[in-house]
Amino acid sequence: MPSSRSYPRSARPPLVTRNRRAVAWGGMLVLLVLLAGAGGLVYFFLPLGGDGQARADYLTHHVERGKFLYEVTERGEIESSSNVEVRCEVQSRNTGGTAILEIVPEGTYVEKRELIARLDKSALENEYNQQQITCNASNASVIQAQSALATAQIARREYLDGTFRQDEQILLGEISVAEENLRRAEDYAGYSQKLAAKDFVTQLQLEADLFAVEKAKMDLATAKTKIEVMREFTKAKMLTQLEADIKIAEANLASNENVKRLDEEKLALIQAQIDKCEILAPSAGQVVYANSTDRRGDSEVVIQEGALIRERQVIVRLPDPKRMQVRAKINEARVDRVKEGQPVVIQLDAFPEKKLLGKVRRVDDYPIPAGWFSSTVKEYATYVDIIDPPDGLRPGMTAQVRIEISRMPDVIQVPVQAVFEHAKRHYCLVRTAKGLEPREVKIGTTNEKQVVIQEGLSEKEIVLVNPRAHEDSVAMPEVPTLPERQEQIAARPTNEVASNEAEVPSSKTASSSKTEESNGGTADEPLVQVETARPVAGRAEGDDKAGEDDSASGDRAERRKRREEMMAMGPAGAAKAMFEQFDADHDGKLTESELPEQMRQFSASMDTNKDGSIDAAELTAAMRRFAAMRAGAGGGAPPAGGAGL
């Protein structure tokens, strides 16, 4: 195919001419690059201002005004905020549990009352048959007890209305006969006495008739005694026995009825357990197996056919796709900044082009349990509701959440590395025509990268982002002694003290205000005094001039050396060294009287459990916080209270 730009053979430029033009243009480009590089090198290595410092030593930043945004970014998983859990309600008949015979595939959409899973019920059916036999036996015992009670009740009525009345009538008849016999005996005895007076009967016959009278009287008395005994004692005894028989029969009947009721309830329970072997969906939703892993990452529970399920164990979950949330893990260093209702931007890994909106619904009060191989850093579960979840959103998807902590539309801000602390005040090294100038600044809100400057800097000024490297080359303000510092703080307005004593978090520890608020001051002020008071090797202990000499420029190297020695020991080692020095009574605790004078005002902030003393754990924790903040500062803004280190 002919070229769109073709020349006649006679009009084409010679090949040598074209090559020369290409070489000329290439040479010019190389020359421009070299000149630009030379200019850049000259600009880079020329002294900057009158301080004699080479530009190669400086890392600068232009102060700018703009929008400030502090966001906490974490990762999490999508889940339903309305997540119906379907549990196994079958009681375990052994330590293994109940086997799953059939279960719908994961991801299946089911309607309400639709079969989800079927469990093994063979053991329950055998138990049901055995319990049915037991129920029949208990029913027979109830019938027998009812018959015994009826018999006892009839016996009581039989005695009162039959036997007692019959015996009473017999005794009354005996009394009538005895009375009649007594009357006749008395008549015969009277007649015999009259005849004996006329000698018609013998004395022996008279005595016999008189004896008959006495015998009739005794028979009458005996008959009356019998009826009295029967009425007062025999009747009461028989009624007591018969009523006891009735109560025994009633108790026996109640016992058998309870046994029967329990047996029937157990039979009904077994039947209910058999019915629960068929698990139905309580609501419509998508089936998600409740698989779980242990702390080592191994599968602890795997939902599948043939798996054994314990009672109350979750088998499946039915999430509502219209109500979704993100469960994120917030680091303990930033969890105090996250509040309910804060706006959140959510970005899904599955749909990176979509950005969803949400808001914080809840932050757990307790950290997530750590695994075997996890670090000691605590994380707190935070739940973010998704506003208008799109179609295709599924539980288990990974998402990134950006929680908006604060937003300012137009503020002056600099990198956090540009701010450092000296004598309990915050400074920036500003590049001027005369060199570097330490400028005291009043800081405001900060995020992991930028810090808001409320006072002290103007727009377009140039500050160093590595001020620690040049701190020794500038004349810093005089460091006051501790009493002078207290007088200065007391003389300053309250709002100024609060702003200048605020913490400038680093990129790794952007939030420690919770510790400051709980202790009523800067979290790491005690650590400053502890390290200042600790003597280095070769110096006598109790040198109370160590803190006062920190302001002298000649002691800066010594201060840095002590600081490095302290941090090289680690938080636990530093705490141990302090205890060896200050724990006079060797009780494992530091009281306020045992602390040096310059440390006593900070004992309350280190005493986190408020027991009146500082133990090794509290001091180690404070040192660990300081070490983490210092490591995160990266030579930039140190944590508040870091002056003199």
Side-chain angles (χ1 to χ4, degrees), residues 12 38 50 164 182 200 302 469 502 505 515 588 599 633:
R12 291 180 182 177
F164 174 76
L182 177 60
F200 288 110
V302 178
T515 306
M599 289 177 57

Side-chain angles (χ1 to χ4, degrees), residues 59-270:
L59 296 176
T60 60
H61 175 80
H62 287 74
V63 179
E64 56 186 10
R65 179 185 295 272
K67 179 179 69 174
F68 176 83
L69 179 63
Y70 180 23
E71 293 180 330
V72 172
T73 302
E74 296 290 351
R75 300 190 66 81
E77 289 187 358
I78 301 294
E79 63 183 20
S80 176
S81 59
S82 176
N83 205 3
V84 179
E85 294 182 342
V86 180
R87 299 177 180 271
C88 172
E89 298 183 1
V90 179
Q91 297 177 355
S92 300
R93 292 306 190 266
N94 49 52
T95 57
T98 307
I100 300 177
L101 297 182
E102 181 182 352
I103 188 170
V104 298
E106 188 173 17
T108 304
Y109 286 91
V110 295
E111 300 294 336
K112 186 176 181 179
R113 305 297 299 172
E114 186 176 346
L115 181 66
I116 296 178
R118 183 177 287 110
L119 306 181
D120 184 11
K121 60 181 179 181
S122 58
L124 289 171
E125 290 176 342
N126 293 335
E127 188 176 354
Y128 182 86
N129 295 332
Q130 295 293 330
Q131 189 62 27
Q132 184 67 55
I133 297 174
T134 304
C135 288
N136 294 335
S138 61
N139 189 33
S141 299
V142 169
I143 295 174
Q144 185 178 2
Q146 290 174 345
S147 176
L149 176 60
T151 301
Q153 292 172 344
I154 293 172
R156 184 179 183 275
R157 291 197 304 270
E158 177 188 14
Y159 174 74
L160 286 176
D161 299 335
T163 305
F164 174 76
R165 292 177 62 185
Q166 180 181 354
D167 294 342
E168 187 180 32
Q169 290 174 358
I170 293 173
L171 293 177
L172 288 174
E174 291 180 357
I175 292 174
S176 298
V177 171
E179 289 176 348
E180 180 62 23
N181 291 335
L182 177 60
R183 185 182 63 81
R184 289 180 180 182
E186 288 176 346
D187 290 343
Y188 279 117
Y191 181 72
S192 295
Q193 286 177 349
K194 292 178 181 181
L195 292 178
K198 297 178 179 181
D199 294 329
F200 288 110
V201 295
T202 62
Q203 187 65 30
L204 183 61
Q205 182 66 37
L206 178 60
E207 292 178 356
D209 291 338
L210 293 174
F211 178 76
V213 172
E214 295 298 329
K215 183 178 182 302
K217 290 180 178 179
M218 293 179 62
D219 291 341
L220 178 59
T222 300
K224 291 181 178 180
T225 302
K226 284 183 179 180
I227 197 170
E228 290 177 358
V229 170
M230 186 189 70
R231 287 175 176 176
E232 294 183 8
F233 301 106
T234 305
K235 180 181 179 181
K237 180 183 71 174
M238 292 300 297
L239 288 178
T240 302
Q241 181 63 42
L242 292 173
E243 289 175 356
D245 293 342
I246 292 174
K247 291 181 179 179
I248 291 173
E250 289 176 346
N252 190 26
L253 176 61
S255 176
N256 284 278
E257 286 178 344
N258 286 334
V259 172
K260 178 185 177 182
R261 178 177 56 82
L262 293 175
D263 290 340
E264 290 177 347
E265 289 179 356
K266 186 175 181 180
L267 183 67
L269 176 62
I270 297 173

Side-chain angles (χ1 to χ4, degrees), residues 268-318:
L269 176 62
I270 297 173
Q271 181 61 52
Q273 294 289 298
I274 293 175
D275 296 338
K276 290 177 181 179
C277 286
E278 292 188 354
I279 302 176
L280 305 180
S283 62
Q286 185 181 18
V287 175
V288 178
Y289 290 172
N291 298 323
S292 63
T293 57
D294 57 15
R295 294 182 176 180
R296 298 181 179 180
D298 299 331
S299 296
E300 185 178 21
V301 177
V302 178
I303 304 300
Q304 61 184 0
E305 293 181 356
L308 297 178
I309 303 299
R310 302 184 304 273
E311 182 183 5
R312 304 304 302 165
Q313 179 178 338
V314 179
I315 301 177
V316 298
R317 295 183 176 90
L318 300 176

Side-chain angles (χ1 to χ4, degrees), residues 20-32:
R20 288 178 179 176
R21 290 178 181 176
V23 171
W25 281 105
M28 292 179 66
L29 290 175
V30 171
L31 181 61
L32 289 174

